[in-house]
Amino acid sequence: MKKVLGVFVFLALIAQLAFGMCSVNPTQILKTLADMCWNCIFPINIAGIPAIKGSMPDSPAAVRSPICTCPFPPPLFIRIGIPVGYFEPSRSIDVNKDAFCFAGLGINFSGLSSTQKGTKGDANTKDKTRTFFNAHYYIYPVFQLVGMFVDSMCVRSTKGFDIAYMTEIDPLWNDDALGALINPEALLFGNPITNMACIADSVASQANRPLDPLFWCKGSWGNAYPLTGSTNTKNYVEDSASVASSLIYKLHRQFVLWNSASKSALCGEHPLPIWMKSAYRLQLLFPKAHPTAMGIGQTGIIWTPNKNLPAGGDNFNYLLFKKVDCCAF
């Protein structure tokens, strides 16, 4: 009888852990700096030449010219410089099942709401092929936090840490129909023909070379539309990366996230409502860090195994590497 009772107590504890809300690491900010893929900053291009090569391919939009010019105050009016390009770890994205669970900060405010949980399937249609997450977007200037390159004109994120966006207070995030208000073109790209074109993007994404002209695709993660927290269900880890990429595109559309890559951004960031997928890399840091970043759309078979804890899981944090092209000196 005691053995049976012990088994029931053990199963009760396991169930409590498995369904526990928002298990976070209070030291996650420091752990991020320790687990970050420093090699993912590369390649570094100077004057159009790869000065330091990296393990991942560069964006095809990288500047290849040896010199550049930018406007300058009088009396010079024009400043001549040298193009410099690299991937800056300057943003962070939470993708969370539990509303107000700040996995990237190691803070649990999930008790603020019990009605905004992430779900597997649609509660109204019983469609189990869709998954929903909330998300948070942080300004996370790693170089500034560690005191590196803070005086360089090529470090675009110098305004300090900030929580820049929370989908829990965005009515467009949890309703696909309402979200179409900011992406009406979804009607043109949500069909089998355009989805077939995503096969090419899926293949290219496995080598971390997503195809920017196919902006409606997220590689093996599916169609980029709608720009909401819903995605096709595969596994929770890959689903979370898919939702993180949807947030990137959505923030571009809302002019919250500006483009810093390609020749057009040499003199400063600018709005770009259609995202440039190749300008971003995501590295999973919570609940279990992956040693390297991946491009948008890379299949989860490569990087998701053993990344989601069975107890208190389904809340994720990603470090976002953002391609920067600037006119230095």
Side-chain angles (χ1 to χ4, degrees), residues 170-226:
D170 181 0
L172 304 182
W173 183 252
N174 60 5
D175 190 314
D176 292 353
L178 199 58
L181 292 173
I182 62 170
N183 52 266
E185 73 278 9
L187 297 174
L188 300 176
F189 297 105
N191 59 74
I193 297 176
T194 54
N195 285 338
M196 285 290 290
C198 293
I199 295 176
D201 186 52
S202 179
V203 173
S205 296
Q206 308 321 307
N208 292 313
R209 296 180 181 272
L211 304 178
D212 290 328
L214 302 181
F215 60 87
W216 63 91
C217 303
K218 295 188 294 188
S220 62
W221 302 343
N223 198 300
Y225 298 107

Side-chain angles (χ1 to χ4, degrees), residues 85-270:
Y86 68 102
F87 280 83
E88 181 184 7
S90 59
R91 303 291 189 271
S92 180
I93 297 176
D94 286 340
V95 181
N96 48 295
K97 174 194 68 175
D98 302 313
F100 300 105
C101 178
F102 295 89
L105 299 180
I107 299 175
N108 177 10
F109 289 140
S110 59
L112 293 177
S113 175
S114 61
T115 60
Q116 294 177 295
K117 291 180 178 293
T119 61
K120 181 174 182 179
D122 187 285
N124 297 318
T125 64
K126 306 301 182 182
D127 181 8
K128 299 302 181 182
T129 65
R130 303 288 285 173
T131 299
F132 175 80
F133 287 97
N134 276 299
H136 309 134
Y137 171 73
Y138 308 125
I139 307 296
Y140 199 92
V142 170
F143 289 158
Q144 185 182 16
L145 292 176
V146 300
M148 293 174 59
F149 315 123
V150 293
D151 294 328
S152 172
M153 64 179 65
C154 285
V155 177
R156 297 283 171 83
S157 296
T158 58
K159 297 180 180 180
F161 180 87
D162 190 16
I163 302 176
Y165 205 87
M166 298 167 53
T167 62
E168 288 91 342
I169 58 175
D170 181 0
L172 304 182
W173 183 252
N174 60 5
D175 190 314
D176 292 353
L178 199 58
L181 292 173
I182 62 170
N183 52 266
E185 73 278 9
L187 297 174
L188 300 176
F189 297 105
N191 59 74
I193 297 176
T194 54
N195 285 338
M196 285 290 290
C198 293
I199 295 176
D201 186 52
S202 179
V203 173
S205 296
Q206 308 321 307
N208 292 313
R209 296 180 181 272
L211 304 178
D212 290 328
L214 302 181
F215 60 87
W216 63 91
C217 303
K218 295 188 294 188
S220 62
W221 302 343
N223 198 300
Y225 298 107
L227 304 183
T228 64
S230 298
T231 187
N232 292 324
T233 298
K234 296 180 181 178
N235 69 68
Y236 278 142
V237 186
E238 185 172 338
D239 293 346
S240 69
S242 176
V243 170
S245 64
S246 294
L247 182 65
I248 294 171
Y249 193 176
K250 173 183 172 68
L251 295 181
H252 265 287
R253 181 57 55 89
Q254 296 180 185
F255 303 136
V256 175
L257 181 57
W258 287 18
N259 177 55
S260 60
S262 76
K263 188 176 180 179
S264 64
L266 280 172
C267 301
E269 297 182 341
H270 62 86

